[in-house]
């Protein structure tokens, strides 16, 4: 099993390296001169040349890639062209804010999605199941900003005015110090992700409930609750973990729109600003971070899949 | 019907453990599955319930546990459990307990403790994520066996030893996938016996097992049933299995019991024509009868006299009447010749220096248990496995290893029929479409002439042209296998490889397929490579036999020679494990 996980880990590292090449190559193709962007149109040729040397812009692309990659390993993401300061310092707070949002959304979406999915599978074909199916389909069909706007209308502006519609982030204060402003963005993200988890959970669970070993467990006299939790659920974990992983990974990128909607000072906002100001180093850093989240979450899902399957667990 | 039971099944009432009276079960759509079934299960006795797939025998068996599969509902009749005087669940005194309409919770407490079930496929019914010891323990935990966890652990060890498995802690911690099919089925048996049940329902527990494994499992079931004085219902489609095991036999046809009696009565003097037809379908090692399908002509030949000792009398009999025998041997060059074939998966050798030859019109049985390499061998011959060593020659010309490198003609000469007709036909295509694929590939016929060839092929497998536009979903297992055979025939091959083509089918359907193959052989001069684990078919289909054990040919020669004078211990063991009527 350890061997299998190590192998999987190695694959993840390769994927990240490949992503870093693509990200670097893509940003290289962007027009514009970072040195001029930082110093402005009035800068002298000498100062530009000096800054280019400092930012290694005079080296060959391969050298620049290696230098940049080396920097990533020690937490040096380069220099922001808009602020002139290190990218890492600029992003560290943003990463924390986004991470909080993601974790809150996941903490709600995963248990709720799994529970409703099981409930729906156990009541297959009944009205309750149909109600669940219709609502998940409707939710899945709505784009995240529509869900966000509806929530804002309901809870912040027109109907009730109980929650803040946008995020306040006075300097020096972290977003989570005012918890009420996390509620709406979290809810929006959770509502986007939940339908997929429900549908996958329902499908796998329904299949498992029809299997021979579930019938056998019932014929052994095992109580229904135990049939579901001990016999059926472990089989559904593997496939559902994959879908949850894809959804969580989507959150990493999906926060962009939602953060913009709620003016939430997270990674997404940082990415939008960076693209607007052609801040290449920040775009690179954010892309790599989002890619790392994708790879990491999928790695976790695969490990869960391995742990849930004795055939893989007992291999070697 | 109730008359039949009343006459034959009468016993002192105190011995009855479960009685089913006038049980009717219907599908939710309205069609009735069981039309009033009466069964009595008696302590210490095994009742064999015999019928073809779709006859409702599993539905009747599950009703004994108060369970109906989804879509089925109980409409009338009763199933009454007559518990032992000492049984703790029996709170109705000597009155018995009506299972129909019993609250779910009380039913649940009876299942696994008073009435236990052993399912058909242990690979599907053991939970792959639970250790085997835990799965046995669960029955004891659920029903509160003993005083302490120590008692329950001790019982797990005891029952494992009873079914002949190691009872070590290490073994109990194994996962189901680490056990062989036979061991898995014994775990199922151990689970069923853990709570000392009164009634045991066995739903084809040995279907899918090899003959020798089957024989061990049957021994275990027999001794456990006698030892614990359990009333058992053994559900099967194979009369030969129950003939050795059961005390009484009940025959089921389309949801009705048509005959019930002691084993001797049913096997030697069957009253109902359907029972006679079922008997005629059972292959016989002596090979003296013509296998007849139940669905076709009424069985003309009485089968009674060869009931006992088919093996022993086999020596005296003439060659099989079933297959056309080619008079020649020797001079004619072999059609197919396999020499020094070797193949291994990773470091595990699967075939070691295998060689045999096949002449035109000849049928060779490749006999072996699962894991013997018989499927690998047939796939090598068909060119589906590319990296074997050795040579395979057709008409004296060596074939390339892969079908892709073989010429069109060479590919057409050798055709393959797969084990399961349920997965070998594309459910989205009509039979006609599936059958014309080989013709499209060969590209010899213009498109408009293909339909005629396909229809001829359908005729020759006795399906008829009307099947051209039907889809596999509308067909029974036997009809599908005929369609698969027809697909192999459209390009007029000279060698047919039949890979366990009857093992997914009922005995009676198997008989009709064997009959069909023999007719095709005589009509078309086809050579057959009949791959199977079922030695009883030998005299019905084959002229020669090749016995494969762990990738090595241990015995080969004309069928009569091998069956009468087996040279290898393995062949002798196979022969001794054959269940006979």
């Amino acid at each position: 099993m350890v061997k299998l996980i190590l192998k999987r880990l190695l694959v993840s590292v390769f994927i990240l390296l490949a992503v870093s090449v693509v990200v670097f190559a893509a940003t290289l193709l962007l027009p514009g001169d970072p040195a001029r962007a930082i110093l402005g149109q009035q800068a002298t040729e000498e100062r530009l040349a000096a800054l280019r040397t400092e930012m290694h812009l005079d080296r060959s692309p391969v050298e620049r890639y290696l230098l940049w990659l080396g920097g990533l390993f020690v937490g040096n993401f380069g220099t922001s062209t808009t602020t002139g300061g290190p990218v890492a310092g600029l992003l560290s707070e943003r990463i924390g804010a986004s991470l909080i949002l993601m974790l809150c959304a996941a903490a709600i979406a995963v248990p709720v999605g799994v529970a409703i999915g099981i409930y729906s599978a156990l009541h297959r074909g009944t009205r309750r199941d149909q109600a669940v199916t219709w609502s998940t389909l409707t939710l899945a069909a709505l784009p995240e900003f529509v869900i966000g706007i509806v929530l804002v209308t309901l809870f912040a502006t027109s109907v009730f005015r109980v929650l803040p519609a946008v995020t306040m982030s006075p300097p020096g204060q972290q977003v989570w110090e005012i918890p009420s402003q996390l509620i709406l963005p979290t809810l929006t993200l959770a509502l986007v992700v939940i339908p997929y988890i429900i549908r996958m959970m329902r499908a796998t669970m329904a299949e498992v409930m029809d299997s021979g070993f579930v019938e056998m467990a019932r014929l052994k006299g095992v109580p229904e609750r135990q049939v579901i939790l001990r016999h059926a659920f472990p089989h559904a974990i593997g496939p559902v973990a994959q879908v949850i992983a894809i959804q969580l990974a989507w959150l990493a990128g999906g926060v962009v729109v939602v953060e913009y909607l709620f003016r939430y000072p997270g990674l997404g906002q940082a990415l939008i600003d960076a693209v607007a100001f052609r801040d290449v180093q920040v775009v690179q850093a954010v892309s790599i971070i989002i890619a790392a989240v994708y790879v990491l979450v999928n790695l976790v899902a695969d490990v869960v899949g391995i742990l849930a399957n004795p055939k893989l667990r007992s291999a070697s | 019907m109730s008359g039949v039971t009343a006459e034959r099944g009468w016993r002192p009432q105190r011995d009855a453990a479960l009685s089913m009276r006038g049980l009717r079960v219907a599908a939710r759509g309205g069609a009735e599955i069981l039309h009033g079934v009466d069964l009595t299960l008696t302590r210490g006795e095994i009742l064999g319930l015999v019928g073809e797939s779709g006859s409702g025998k599993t539905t009747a068996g599950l009703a004994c546990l108060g369970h109906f599969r989804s879509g089925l509902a109980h409409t009338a009749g009763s199933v009454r459990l007559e518990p032992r005087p000492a049984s703790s669940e029996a709170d109705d005194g000597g009155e018995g307990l009506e299972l129909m309409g019993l609250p779910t919770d009380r039913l649940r407490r009876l299942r696994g403790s008073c009435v236990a079930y052993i399912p058909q496929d242990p690979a599907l019914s053991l939970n792959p994520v639970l250790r085997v010891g835990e799965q046995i323990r669960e029955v004891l935990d659920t029903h509160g066996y003993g005083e302490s966890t120590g008692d329950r652990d001790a019982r797990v060890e005891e029952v494992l030893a009873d079914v002949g498995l190691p009872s070590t802690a290490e073994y109990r911690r194994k996962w189901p996938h680490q056990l062989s099919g036979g061991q898995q089925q014994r775990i199922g048996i151990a689970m069923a016996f853990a709570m000392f049940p009164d009634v045991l329902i066995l739903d084809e527990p040995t279907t899918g097992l090899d003959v020798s494994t089957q024989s061990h499992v049957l021994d275990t079931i027999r001794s456990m049933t006698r030892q614990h004085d359990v009333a058992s219902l053994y559900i099967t489609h194979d009369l030969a299995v129950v003939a050795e095991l059961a005390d009484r036999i009940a025959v089921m046809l389309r949801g009705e019991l048509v005959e019930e009696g002691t084993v001797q009565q049913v096997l030697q003097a069957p009253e109902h024509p359907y029972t006679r037809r079922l008997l005629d379908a059972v292959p016989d090692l002596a090979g003296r009868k013509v296998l007849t399908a139940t669905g076709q002509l009424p069985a003309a030949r009485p089968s009674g006299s060869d009931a006992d000792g088919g093996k022993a009398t086999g020596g005296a009999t003439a060659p099989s009447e079933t297959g056309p025998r080619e008079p020649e041997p020797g001079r004619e060059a072999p059609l197919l010749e396999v020499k020094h074939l070797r193949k291994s998966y990773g470091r595990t050798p699967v075939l070691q220096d295998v060689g045999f030859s096949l002449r035109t019109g000849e049928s060779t049985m490749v006999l072996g248990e699962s894991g013997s390499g018989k499927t690998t061998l047939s796939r090598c011959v068909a060119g589906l496995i590319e990296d074997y060593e050795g040579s395979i020659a057709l008409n004296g010309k060596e074939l390339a290893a892969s079908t892709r490198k073989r010429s069109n003609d060479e590919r057409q000469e050798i055709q393959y029929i797969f084990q399961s007709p349920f997965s070998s036909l594309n459910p989205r295509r009509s039979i006609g479409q599936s059958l014309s694929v080989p013709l499209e590939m060969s590209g010899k016929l213009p498109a408009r002439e293909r339909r005629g060839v396909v229809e001829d092929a359908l005729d020759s497998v006795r399906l008829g042209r009307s099947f051209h536009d039907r889809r596999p979903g509308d067909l029974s297992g036997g009809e599908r296998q005929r369609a698969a055979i027809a697909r192999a025939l459209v390009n007029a091959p000279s060698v047919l490889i039949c890979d366990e083509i009857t093992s997914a089918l009922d005995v009676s359907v198997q008989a009709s397929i064997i009959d069909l193959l023999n007719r095709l052989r005589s009509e078309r001069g086809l050579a057959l490579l009949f791959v199977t684990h079922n030695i009883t078919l030998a005299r019905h289909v084959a002229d020669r036999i090749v016995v494969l054990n762990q990738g090595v040919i241990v015995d080969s020669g004309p069928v009569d020679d091998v069956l009468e004078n087996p040279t290898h211990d393995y062949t002798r063991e196979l022969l001794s494990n054959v269940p006979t009527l």
Side-chain angles (χ1 to χ4, degrees):
Chain A
M1 176 180 74
V2 176
K3 208 170 152 192
L4 209 64
I5 293 176
L6 282 180
K7 221 175 181 177
R8 184 62 188 76
L9 205 64
L10 209 67
V11 172
S12 306
V13 171
F14 271 107
I15 292 173
L16 268 183
L17 280 177
V19 170
S20 73
V21 172
V22 173
V23 166
F24 189 83
T27 46
L28 262 189
L29 297 177
L30 286 179
D33 177 0
R36 186 173 289 282
I38 292 171
L39 295 175
Q41 291 301 322
Q42 281 79 38
T44 60
E45 275 307 314
E46 293 80 46
R47 288 193 60 198
L48 282 174
L51 189 63
R52 282 192 194 120
T53 320
E54 196 191 314
M55 291 177 70
H56 311 300
L57 291 175
D58 52 345
R59 311 277 188 93
S60 73
V62 177
E63 270 181 275
R64 279 165 63 193
Y65 169 71
L66 291 176
L67 281 168
W68 173 69
L69 192 67
L72 292 187
F73 283 106
V74 294
N76 174 14
F77 289 85
T79 315
S80 163
T81 47
T82 30
T83 64
V87 174
L90 183 83
L91 289 183
S92 61
E93 259 179 40
R94 302 294 192 101
I95 294 173
S98 278
L99 218 55
I100 282 285
L101 196 58
M102 266 181 68
L103 289 179
C104 289
I108 295 174
V110 174
V112 170
V114 166
I116 299 182
I118 294 179
Y119 176 87
S120 186
L122 296 182
H123 296 90
R124 224 178 329 161
T126 63
R127 292 235 174 120
R128 284 173 275 189
D129 176 36
Q130 282 164 4
V132 170
T133 304
W134 278 106
S135 14
T136 49
L137 275 177
T138 314
L139 265 181
L142 292 176
E144 60 264 36
F145 63 86
V146 174
I147 294 176
I149 289 169
V150 169
L151 286 179
V152 166
T153 320
L154 273 181
F155 295 108
T157 55
S158 308
V159 186
F160 304 105
R161 297 192 178 186
V162 286
L163 294 168
V166 291
T167 320
M168 317 292 170
S169 51
Q173 202 183 11
Q174 306 295 347
V175 272
W176 52 86
E177 286 172 30
I178 313 169
S180 67
Q181 64 188 9
L182 287 175
I183 296 178
L184 285 184
T186 304
L187 215 55
T188 310
L189 286 178
L191 281 178
V192 173
V193 173
I194 283 175
Y196 300 98
I197 300 181
I198 292 179
R199 290 188 66 76
M200 191 64 194
M201 192 70 215
R202 180 188 178 277
T204 26
M205 200 66 183
E207 197 187 316
V208 174
M209 292 307 282
D210 280 341
S211 67
F213 53 83
V214 166
E215 180 175 58
M216 188 61 221
R218 286 180 176 151
L219 294 177
K220 272 157 77 178
V222 177
E224 194 61 19
R225 198 185 148 77
Q226 199 176 329
V227 170
I228 295 163
L229 292 181
R230 191 167 183 220
H231 287 265
F233 184 60
H235 292 271
I237 293 178
V240 172
Q242 295 290 343
V243 169
I244 291 177
I246 293 171
Q247 291 303 312
L248 291 188
W250 173 85
L251 279 182
V255 289
V256 176
V257 176
V258 175
E259 285 182 2
Y260 185 76
L261 186 68
F262 290 97
R263 301 252 128 241
Y264 188 89
L267 267 187
Q269 275 285 330
L271 185 63
I272 292 171
D273 292 347
V275 170
F277 296 116
R278 300 239 155 85
D279 197 341
V280 176
Q281 305 277 335
V282 175
V283 173
Q284 282 177 341
V286 174
S287 312
I288 276 290
I289 289 168
I290 290 178
V293 173
Y294 261 88
V295 170
L296 188 76
V297 175
N298 278 299
L299 176 70
V300 171
D302 282 355
V303 171
V304 169
I306 291 170
L307 290 178
N309 186 342
K311 246 184 215 173
L312 298 177
R313 214 185 325 164
S314 58
S316 85
Chain B
M1 277 249 306
S2 55
V4 174
T5 331
E7 283 165 33
R8 295 252 165 63
W10 73 273
R11 289 232 153 211
Q13 198 55 51
R14 62 189 162 80
D15 276 357
L18 183 137
S19 47
M20 184 183 284
R21 291 286 168 265
L23 184 75
R24 288 175 182 274
V25 174
R28 289 251 151 76
E32 199 171 66
I33 309 295
L34 296 182
H35 318 290
V37 173
D38 296 323
L39 283 175
T40 306
L41 303 183
T42 312
R43 291 227 158 76
E45 257 193 17
I46 300 177
L47 172 65
L49 181 60
V50 185
E52 293 176 48
S53 37
S55 61
K57 53 194 195 305
T58 295
T59 305
L62 288 175
C64 297
L65 293 116
H67 179 72
F68 300 95
R69 289 207 167 133
S70 62
L72 298 182
H74 167 244
T75 49
S78 91
V79 178
R80 189 167 272 278
L81 198 60
E82 321 277 353
R84 267 180 243 246
S87 171
S88 58
E89 288 296 335
D91 39 15
D92 295 47
E95 288 295 291
L97 189 60
E98 175 58 49
L99 293 184
M100 297 298 107
L102 202 65
T104 329
D105 191 48
R106 294 211 38 208
L107 264 182
R108 187 184 67 64
R109 275 184 278 142
L110 289 173
R111 290 178 186 161
S113 62
C114 283
V115 190
Y117 179 73
I118 299 178
Q120 176 166 10
D121 190 344
L124 295 180
S125 54
L126 287 180
N127 193 328
V129 304
L130 293 176
R131 297 177 192 276
V132 292
E134 283 175 42
Q135 302 202 37
I136 302 175
R137 256 293 292 275
E138 188 177 36
V139 183
L140 301 168
D141 291 341
T142 305
H143 298 292
Y145 177 88
E147 305 284 309
S148 62
T149 51
D151 283 359
R152 297 199 264 273
D153 282 334
R155 176 67 189 141
V156 173
E157 281 181 41
E158 193 180 50
V159 81
L160 276 174
D162 280 352
V163 296
L165 291 175
S167 53
T168 57
E170 195 201 347
Y171 196 83
R172 278 177 279 148
R173 287 180 53 78
K174 280 186 185 283
W175 302 103
H177 73 266
Q178 293 169 324
L179 307 185
S180 71
Q183 289 171 324
Q184 288 177 341
Q185 194 53 283
R186 276 186 232 186
I187 295 286
I189 297 172
M191 226 151 52
F193 276 99
M195 287 297 294
F196 302 104
D198 294 333
V199 178
L200 190 61
I201 310 297
L202 303 112
D203 191 359
E204 309 221 22
T206 62
T207 308
L209 298 181
D210 295 324
V211 231
S212 47
T213 319
Q214 163 172 301
S215 150
H216 291 153
V217 169
L218 290 181
D219 283 344
T220 313
I221 291 170
R222 187 182 297 120
S223 67
M224 296 285 280
T225 318
R226 299 278 186 275
Q227 197 183 330
H228 297 293
D229 207 21
V230 176
S232 308
L233 181 69
Y234 193 104
I235 299 169
T236 183
H237 68 92
D238 191 346
L239 267 171
V241 171
V242 281
E244 292 205 331
L245 187 70
D247 302 288
R248 290 186 302 144
I249 291 180
V251 180
M252 199 162 196
L253 172 64
R254 289 192 286 271
E256 279 182 53
L257 282 196
V258 293
E259 179 153 8
E260 190 186 347
T262 64
V263 172
Q264 284 74 20
Q265 282 171 339
V266 174
L267 294 187
Q268 283 165 19
E271 285 180 358
H272 197 277
Y274 179 72
T275 315
R276 262 175 256 144
R277 279 185 261 152
L278 267 184
L279 277 167
D280 285 343
V282 175
D284 165 27
L285 203 56
R288 277 175 303 172
K289 63 186 181 191
V290 177
L291 295 186
T292 334
T294 51
Q296 299 181 322
L297 323 150
R301 295 161 62 85
S303 67
S305 60
D306 56 350
D308 294 320
K311 285 178 294 212
T313 53
T317 51
S320 163
E321 317 160 39
T322 55
R325 298 250 162 169
E326 292 296 311
E328 52 66 48
R331 285 186 302 282
E332 194 191 327
L335 174 66
L336 180 78
E337 190 156 35
V338 176
K339 281 187 200 155
H340 310 298
L341 193 66
R342 285 170 191 280
K343 164 78 191 148
S344 48
Y345 292 126
R347 250 170 264 153
T348 326
V350 187
L351 292 175
Q352 299 176 42
D353 204 11
V354 168
F356 64 91
S357 57
L358 187 66
R359 291 185 171 73
T360 308
E362 190 179 54
S363 169
T364 294
M365 169 181 273
V366 177
L367 183 74
E369 307 201 330
S370 50
S372 62
K374 58 187 191 303
T375 293
T376 305
L377 171 63
S378 39
R379 295 176 76 94
C380 285
V381 173
L384 295 172
I385 292 177
E386 304 185 1
D387 52 340
Y388 59 80
E389 292 168 40
S391 84
I392 296 172
L394 186 73
N395 286 322
K397 186 166 168 275
E398 183 163 342
L399 293 173
S402 154
T403 40
R404 292 172 201 285
K405 295 187 187 127
R406 294 182 184 175
S407 74
N408 232 338
D409 289 335
E410 286 169 342
R411 277 201 291 264
Q412 286 169 23
E413 288 292 304
I414 302 177
Q415 290 292 318
Y416 199 100
I417 307 167
F418 293 89
Q419 173 168 5
S420 168
F422 298 93
S423 52
S424 69
L425 290 169
N426 188 335
R428 291 180 184 275
R429 292 186 165 198
S430 72
I431 298 297
Q433 284 169 332
S434 280
L435 260 61
S436 40
V437 172
L439 293 173
E440 286 161 24
M441 293 298 120
S442 71
K444 281 183 183 159
L445 281 177
R448 58 194 139 66
E449 287 172 33
R450 284 184 202 140
R451 187 175 174 115
V453 175
V454 168
E455 286 177 343
D456 287 347
L458 284 172
D459 279 343
S460 66
V461 296
R462 284 25 176 212
L463 274 182
R465 288 154 196 253
S466 61
F467 279 80
H468 190 277
D469 296 319
R470 293 172 70 179
R471 279 172 212 283
D474 310 332
L475 271 57
S476 70
E479 287 168 343
R480 289 185 209 204
Q481 198 58 291
R482 279 165 192 268
I485 295 173
R487 177 171 57 183
L489 291 178
V490 289
N491 270 330
S494 53
V495 179
L496 265 192
I497 302 173
C498 309
D499 185 5
E500 295 264 22
I501 61 168
T502 61
S503 38
L505 307 173
D506 280 353
V507 174
S508 51
V509 182
Q510 164 174 295
S512 70
I513 296 284
I514 299 285
D515 179 47
L516 170 68
L517 285 177
N518 283 327
R519 282 197 224 176
L520 289 173
R521 259 178 79 200
S522 59
E523 284 169 16
R524 302 186 172 216
L526 275 173
L528 290 187
L529 200 58
F530 193 89
V531 180
T532 184
H533 69 273
N534 189 350
I535 198 171
T536 52
L537 290 174
R539 283 200 164 93
H540 297 286
V541 286
D543 308 313
R544 298 178 67 83
I545 191 166
V546 168
V547 183
L548 206 57
N549 181 26
Q550 297 179 349
V552 181
I553 292 184
V554 293
D555 235 330
S556 71
V559 167
D560 290 338
D561 291 359
V562 173
L563 295 190
E564 283 153 34
N565 305 304
T567 56
H568 197 275
D569 287 343
Y570 178 73
T571 321
R572 275 193 278 271
E573 196 201 322
L574 277 182
L575 283 167
S576 69
N577 284 324
V578 169
T580 42
L581 287 176

